[in-house]
Amino acid sequence: MPHAPSMTVKGDRLESARTRVNAAMDDYAAELRRVDGARLGEGLIATRALKDRVEAVFAEGLRRFDKSGEYAADGAIDVVAWLRSRCKLSGGAAAERLGIARQLQHLPQTSKAFATGELGYQHVAVLARTAEHVGAATVRKAESSLLALAETMDPGQFTGVAKSFEHRVDAQAALAETNRAYQRRYLTVSEPLDGIVRIDGLLDVEAGALVRNAVSASLPPARDDDRTPGQRRADRLVELCQPHATGSADGAGPRPHLIIRASIDTLLGAPDAPGGELDDGTIIPAETARRIACDAAISRILGKGELEAEITRASRSTPAATRRALAARDRGCVAEHCTRPPQWTDSHHVKHWIDQGPTTMSNLILLCRPHHRRVHEEGWGLQRLATGRWKLIPMPRSRSA
Ligand SMILES: [Zn+2]
Ligand SMILES: [Zn+2]
């Protein structure tokens, strides 16, 4: 039993150090119990810092344990499985710690700040994930400035900064990650049980923003409305599912809006352009911003930076009359074999308006969201068929969609 916790050796220095830490921890807990008010607040902050230090020690040990392959001798198929069964971590928590352990050796400043307690565990996890996505060497080049930002931000804000950094330095990797996230989407609506139906699911950030905007009531609750916010969202979702609430059948009616901020480079698809930004600050890949901007009827595009006016001038939505004519001509998504009706489609500019493509019938086709996404984010080509429908062709990445 190589790693049984009960195994102690007489004169074992690790064991005696652990005994001293435990005694100190008892002492600390007793002192913390004695304070209150502002002093207790300080104590809680210090307690978190202690926990972060323990995580730093753990990460360093885990890096060596991972390398040694010793977990196999303990019967585990990999180190994550070992962490789950022996250290009582969930799969996600185990993978996160392994990611940190592996990346820290390539991030010397992060590693040092973590070990001395200047940098908290959650910030380190964000940096490790970023290094996994774009490579530790890339993070290392910007390590000082990222660490300086980490000091001033909570982990949630810092995640936004790290995501934006990823999009800037490696648009392709960020896009691949977004495509992976999109693959994870699902929705289940359970069978009724005890009079309750459970709804559960995952969405990519763009779809999530649309749903959130749609179910967050636009009006403040009436004075005598005693429903909780959660109940109001549930009621709104059910209202939206009633057929008459979803706009006209040709998709020309009012539709949910998304606000996107993007620079002109982003919309033009320039190689190292930053990502776009949804209203709530979520960063989306440049190609996603191009797709959402493609049918400006579902979105409002705001410029970012100096060329703001240029985007605002160029951006235009498909007029309702054009949209109706498109619905009559295309009768739904034009992708070969696709049967999705007009109200589930976007109008796609065959040549994007940002590249001077006109918003007229000859340059517009209806595509459902999965097919529209395939053309933009997944880089598929479109070829017109004699039938009036369009064939989607997998293509080496091109910027002409
Ligand atoms: Zn498009
Ligand atoms: Zn389709």
Side-chain angles (χ1 to χ4, degrees):
M1 293 219 299
H3 302 295
S6 59
M7 180 177 149
T8 53
V9 179
K10 216 177 161 73
D12 183 332
R13 293 180 53 171
L14 179 63
E15 183 54 25
S16 68
R18 195 178 70 85
T19 307
R20 290 197 302 279
V21 170
N22 268 329
M25 192 50 86
D26 289 341
D27 191 24
Y28 179 81
E31 294 302 332
L32 190 68
R33 256 173 240 126
R34 244 169 246 141
V35 297
D36 47 26
R39 194 80 189 96
L40 177 57
E42 287 163 19
L44 290 177
I45 295 168
T47 308
R48 296 309 305 173
L50 283 175
K51 182 165 186 295
D52 283 346
R53 282 210 63 187
V54 172
E55 289 282 5
V57 172
F58 185 81
E60 205 203 319
L62 181 59
R63 179 181 61 77
R64 290 191 299 118
F65 192 67
D66 175 33
K67 223 174 225 165
S68 74
E70 185 65 20
Y71 52 86
D74 210 9
I77 49 163
D78 59 28
V79 74
V80 168
W82 183 88
L83 287 167
R84 289 172 65 176
S85 72
R86 305 310 298 264
C87 299
K88 303 181 175 60
L89 291 171
S90 71
E96 182 172 273
R97 277 158 183 86
L98 181 61
I100 289 174
R102 287 182 178 167
Q103 296 301 330
L104 271 185
Q105 57 183 321
H106 307 299
L107 300 173
Q109 294 183 54
T110 306
S111 184
K112 184 164 168 251
F114 190 25
T116 55
E118 285 162 60
L119 190 65
Y121 173 82
Q122 288 193 293
H123 288 94
V124 174
V126 172
L127 281 168
R129 212 157 33 237
T130 303
E132 269 172 37
H133 294 157
V134 302
T138 306
V139 173
R140 204 156 53 231
K141 283 187 206 134
E143 207 176 356
S144 308
S145 52
L146 285 171
L147 287 174
L149 287 168
E151 256 180 54
T152 65
M153 293 178 176
D154 70 43
Q157 295 166 319
F158 188 53
T159 302
V161 165
K163 276 275 158 253
S164 165
F165 172 75
E166 281 182 33
H167 283 281
R168 224 171 41 238
V169 299
D170 195 341
Q172 279 307 318
L175 186 59
E177 197 220 326
T178 303
N179 282 338
R180 269 198 305 279
Y182 178 68
Q183 288 308 328
R184 293 177 61 202
R185 74 196 183 283
Y186 78 91
L187 179 73
T188 57
V189 180
S190 77
E191 290 297 315
L193 185 69
D194 298 332
I196 295 279
V197 171
R198 174 171 285 278
I199 297 182
D200 182 33
L202 285 180
L203 294 174
D204 62 285
V205 292
E206 174 209 347
L210 274 173
V211 172
R212 197 167 44 235
N213 291 348
V215 300
S216 306
S218 45
L219 298 168
R223 194 180 282 272
D224 57 354
D225 188 345
D226 56 0
R227 294 175 297 168
T228 65
Q231 287 169 337
R232 283 204 303 275
R233 282 193 294 275
D235 293 348
R236 183 86 189 107
L237 176 65
V238 175
E239 281 163 19
L240 287 169
C241 295
Q242 287 159 0
H244 59 81
T246 51
S248 54
D250 56 13
R255 309 173 77 191
H257 278 60
L258 272 184
I259 296 178
I260 316 164
R261 270 179 261 301
S263 73
I264 199 126
D265 279 353
T266 302
L267 291 177
L268 283 169
D272 51 0
E277 208 179 313
L278 295 181
D279 209 20
D280 62 0
T282 307
I283 307 289
I284 53 174
E287 209 40 68
T288 303
R290 273 170 67 81
R291 171 172 54 76
I292 300 173
C294 193
D295 182 353
I298 57 164
S299 57
R300 196 143 66 83
I301 315 299
L302 301 179
K304 202 159 98 173
E306 303 158 26
L307 295 164
E308 172 139 15
E310 221 165 305
I311 292 175
T312 313
R313 200 173 55 243
S315 140
R316 59 218 131 135
S317 50
T318 312
T322 308
R323 178 73 207 197
R324 272 191 290 275
L326 276 173
R329 185 193 70 191
D330 292 347
R331 294 160 189 275
C333 177
V334 298
E336 209 183 5
H337 311 308
C338 186
T339 57
R340 292 191 176 89
Q343 63 269 33
W344 295 352
T345 60
D346 300 335
S347 8
H348 168 67
H349 287 72
V350 177
K351 185 177 186 197
H352 204 291
W353 55 260
I354 196 84
D355 304 319
Q356 268 82 52
T359 304
T360 53
M361 294 287 287
S362 61
N363 189 43
L364 292 170
I365 53 175
L366 295 183
L367 286 176
C368 66
R369 182 170 176 244
H371 281 127
H372 198 196
R373 200 179 180 285
R374 183 158 283 181
V375 170
H376 285 274
E377 277 96 326
E378 296 172 37
W380 288 47
L382 278 168
Q383 190 182 67
R384 183 179 231 137
L385 300 169
T387 58
R389 310 211 102 202
W390 292 67
K391 192 181 182 63
L392 269 81
I393 320 151
M395 275 174 67
R397 187 105 207 117
S398 104
R399 291 274 168 196
S400 59

